[in-house]
Amino acid sequence: MKLIVLGLSLSSSWGNGHATTFRALLKAFAARGHDVHFLERDVPWYAAHRDEPAPDYCRLDLYPTLDALDAWHDTIAAADAVIVGSYVPDGVAVARRVQDWARGVTAFYDIDTPVTLAALERGDCDYLSPEVIPGFDVYLSFTGGPTLARIEHQYRSPAARALYCSVDTDRYRPTGADKRWDLSYLGTYSPDRQPTLERLLIDAARRAPDRRFVVAGPQYPAAIDWPANVERIEHLPPADHPDFYSASRATLNVTRADMIAAGWSPSVRLFEAAACGTPIVSDRWEGIDELLVPGREIVLADTTDDALAALARDGPACAGPGGARPRAGGTWRRHPRRRTGTPPDRGDGRDAARPHLRMISRQKEPPSMGQQLPIALVAGGAGVHRLASVPCADRARV
């Protein structure tokens, strides 16, 4: 299959969690024999921080302006499938071009679904509009659960499917690094995440001066009063993530407010940490207990006391040598189709994740309640999402 992806950035991971997912997903497609071509808008903030300018698993081309995309008209038209990602500059205009030019299947991959839907409700989403959503054959969503039915019925998508973030388990694995920190956090500054970071890490650091903490990520305001036992790392390239997680006795997962409200929105950082076998302390949202078992593979914390108790415990989740490691725990066996595990072996030595993308034909009207939907099979970074034909009314249970 010839696959074209127009995404936020593949070349740079600076303040860009999309890069981890795209790199894992597209590498896996290439490994399965597909011809992958990534088109990226050339912008100065990524140009100054490129850590993968020449990937060996796909072709990468930069285009400087929206009009410059016209040079790729014939390439897009000839592709078997074209994916447009969230947060692409001039995304609405890009979507219209792709829908006008493409003869193959078109998809929108939203790695920010709750943020996107909130922006659509406010009328200030600059990379997607309600008018272009029905023009995509499939809406691939970072968020599962009831949000999928909402995308189909409120925004008239012909088919909404969950495609959680991907992690490359060849890159993300325990490294044996010496433990440097009791609790770490990796993420770009976000105002709606900051109160949780303050409560679960910064306040915990103030109350536990004998413990060591670290926050890695860009764009944090200079006014933040960091305790002396909190180390700051301005930017941590993906190549350094496995050592970072492996050097952490536990790591913190903090979720944006819109994603907490939607539920079923696992951050790529959850999968990175799990792949590295690092115990996770997380805020709470609906659906998280379907990925990791609370108290055994993850600690759900609401207060500073909860975070400190997690670090002090000698039992499962944050115990050091005796603590649970999500990678080695049941997560990988229970959820072979999630983004954190490898597909089950069928016994004949062949990978169960065959390189198929079941093409979903265009529909002029969205599926009605109770209508049977086609099976969609998407081979991804480390597993498969296969959604069986189910009534649309039951989508929340898929």
Side-chain angles (χ1 to χ4, degrees), residues 67-138:
D67 289 343
L69 190 60
D70 293 350
W72 301 102
H73 173 284
D74 292 348
T75 301
I76 291 172
D80 297 298
V82 184
I83 297 175
V84 178
S86 50
Y87 273 95
V88 168
D90 296 310
V92 174
V94 170
R96 293 190 188 281
R97 280 170 163 79
V98 166
Q99 291 171 3
D100 287 344
W101 300 346
R103 295 194 294 267
V105 170
T106 60
F108 182 74
Y109 186 13
D110 198 342
I111 308 181
D112 309 274
T113 308
V115 176
T116 299
L117 297 183
L120 289 174
E121 288 291 316
R122 296 191 304 267
D124 63 359
C125 186
D126 58 4
Y127 56 86
L128 188 67
S129 72
E131 293 74 23
V132 301
I133 292 175
F136 287 108
D137 295 307
V138 60

Side-chain angles (χ1 to χ4, degrees), residues 216-228:
Q219 302 178 21
Y220 284 84
I224 295 177
D225 180 18
W226 299 102

Side-chain angles (χ1 to χ4, degrees), residues 15-29:
N16 167 32
H18 291 207
T20 299
T21 286
F22 276 130
R23 291 171 185 180
L25 189 64
L26 301 185
K27 178 183 175 183
F29 270 113

